[in-house]
Amino acid sequence: MWGVLAAILSSGIGGTAVVATRSLSKTIDPITLGALRFGLGFLFLLPVACLRREAWPPRRDWPGVVGLGLLFFGLFPILFNAALYFTTAARGAIALSALPVLTMLAASALRAETMNARKVLGVLVTMSGVTLALLSGLSTAPPGAWRGDLLMLGAALVMALYTIWSRSFIARSGPVRFTLTAMGIGALCLVSVAAIGGGLTNLRWLPSEAWLAAGYLGIVGSALVFFLWSFAVTHTTPTLVAIAVAVNPITASLAGDLFLGERLGWNFAGGLGLVCLGIVIAATKSGLRPERPFSEKRRSRLRTRPRD
């Protein structure tokens, strides 16, 4: 359950980062915003990684680490930031909430996780809760919002693949040093593209409020969020990690209510209850026993298998 709790905390904090991203999306282009977020996150996470007693990714894993870094810390922020430029935070959150379904299907197809009726039911209940909680925000959509919805679906697919493929790499090193390495690769790519395109020069004219939001994105919304996500990936199954993303739009709505004046209605309380219920259903077996990761089940069978 530590993995599930870490994923919930990661997604909950990440929901507040949606508000900061939305506020900066009209001022900074998606590539420069991603470079700023993950560049600051890398600088903050670097001393933490150096102090921890973890192994760095081994040499044989570097091609995979580079690919995952470019995928998640390079392509994902571009899709995510561009999506919030075209669509509202509520519609983007609904599109991102498709992550549990995408992860469940991909994990099953790649044989990274076994599916059962409780996980499927938990995913469906959780997505219903997100839809109910954000129902009032779906009625107002800017022109061309469907472009942002499709971009956010693409971001969710990238996140699902990263969640599945990164598990074995993190297990061979550690959540902090793997996250730092992958984040550094993605940030270097984004910074290079932003520098060539002239996006970095525009940062000189940012007001102090924008720099505060960017600092929050880099330190809390990047370093802390993705460390918790990497920890969760190695301590529970991909679907249970992904289903915790449902907490993201809930905290985003709360932050919007506090900082943007977006009022919440009765549907938010009902949706929050369904989200919590869906996570409990998916994360437990009969009798409320925690669901063990598939890799742990496989190791258990190997330990109990009689020798020839």
Side-chain angles (χ1 to χ4, degrees), residues 22-280:
R22 178 69 174 165
S23 65
L24 292 173
S25 61
K26 302 295 183 181
T27 308
I28 308 175
D29 65 274
I31 297 177
T32 305
L33 182 55
L36 186 61
R37 177 179 182 178
F38 292 123
L40 292 175
F42 175 83
L43 294 177
F44 180 78
L45 200 58
L46 179 59
V48 179
C50 293
L51 292 175
R52 287 182 63 91
R53 295 181 178 179
E54 290 180 356
W56 293 97
R59 184 178 300 177
R60 62 188 178 93
D61 283 351
W62 269 90
V65 174
V66 171
L68 289 171
L70 294 176
L71 179 71
F72 191 54
F73 296 102
L75 180 59
F76 175 80
I78 295 176
L79 295 174
F80 184 85
N81 298 336
L84 291 178
Y85 179 84
F86 289 105
T87 190
T88 63
R91 291 177 65 97
I94 289 292
L96 189 63
S97 68
L99 176 64
V101 174
L102 295 174
T103 304
M104 183 173 60
L105 295 176
S108 179
L110 297 173
R111 296 183 179 181
E113 180 182 357
T114 55
M115 292 296 108
N116 55 50
R118 292 185 68 88
K119 289 182 182 179
V120 175
L121 178 61
V123 168
L124 295 178
V125 171
T126 301
M127 291 188 63
S128 300
V130 174
T131 305
L132 178 62
L134 302 179
L135 197 59
S136 59
L138 296 178
S139 57
T140 58
W146 60 271
R147 297 185 180 90
D149 300 337
L150 290 179
L151 288 171
M152 192 62 79
L153 283 175
L157 179 59
V158 167
M159 197 170 187
L161 295 176
Y162 174 85
T163 301
I164 297 170
W165 288 338
S166 64
R167 299 183 74 202
S168 59
F169 293 94
I170 298 174
R172 288 192 290 270
S173 55
V176 176
R177 291 188 173 180
F178 172 84
T179 302
L180 176 74
T181 306
M183 185 183 295
I185 293 169
L188 179 62
C189 178
L190 291 175
V191 169
S192 301
V193 175
I196 295 174
L200 295 181
T201 59
N202 297 328
L203 296 179
R204 295 178 299 175
W205 313 110
L206 286 182
S208 57
E209 296 83 1
W211 276 111
L212 288 175
Y216 180 83
L217 279 177
I219 298 174
V220 179
S222 179
L224 179 59
V225 163
F226 292 110
F227 160 69
L228 291 171
W229 189 263
S230 297
F231 177 88
V233 163
T234 56
H235 287 77
T236 189
T237 63
T239 297
L240 296 184
V241 174
I243 200 174
V245 172
V247 181
N248 186 290
I250 300 298
T251 54
S253 299
L254 287 173
D257 178 74
L258 291 174
F259 299 106
L260 302 180
E262 299 175 353
R263 298 294 98 187
L264 301 176
W266 64 268
N267 56 305
F268 179 82
L272 178 60
L274 286 177
V275 167
C276 296
L277 177 61
I279 293 176
V280 171

